[in-house]
Amino acid sequence: MNRAQFGFLVAFLVAAVWAIAGFGFAAAATLAGLFGWFVVKVLDGDITLAGLGDRAAANRRR
């Protein structure tokens, strides 16, 4: 499965949840998915918490 197919599947599932359970459940499912993606990126080392802190500090200095 390539990225385009996976993106379509995710969008389809969010739309299906929205149609069946309502907007609130679809939004909650999307937020849960984003949280899971973030956790996996942190565990894989693609995102470091120190790097996020550095970015936040850089934005405050501007």
Side-chain angles (χ1 to χ4, degrees):
M1 181 180 290
N2 63 28
R3 287 183 177 191
Q5 291 170 328
F6 183 72
F8 175 81
L9 178 64
V10 169
F12 180 80
L13 292 175
V14 169
V17 169
W18 188 345
I20 293 169
F23 176 76
F25 284 106
T30 302
L31 288 175
L34 288 173
F35 178 72
W37 172 84
F38 180 76
V39 168
V40 169
K41 287 293 191 179
V42 169
L43 292 176
D44 284 347
D46 294 337
I47 297 175
T48 62
L49 297 179
L52 290 175
D54 291 343
R55 283 186 174 196
N59 285 340
R60 282 191 224 132
R61 282 186 249 142
R62 285 186 184 179

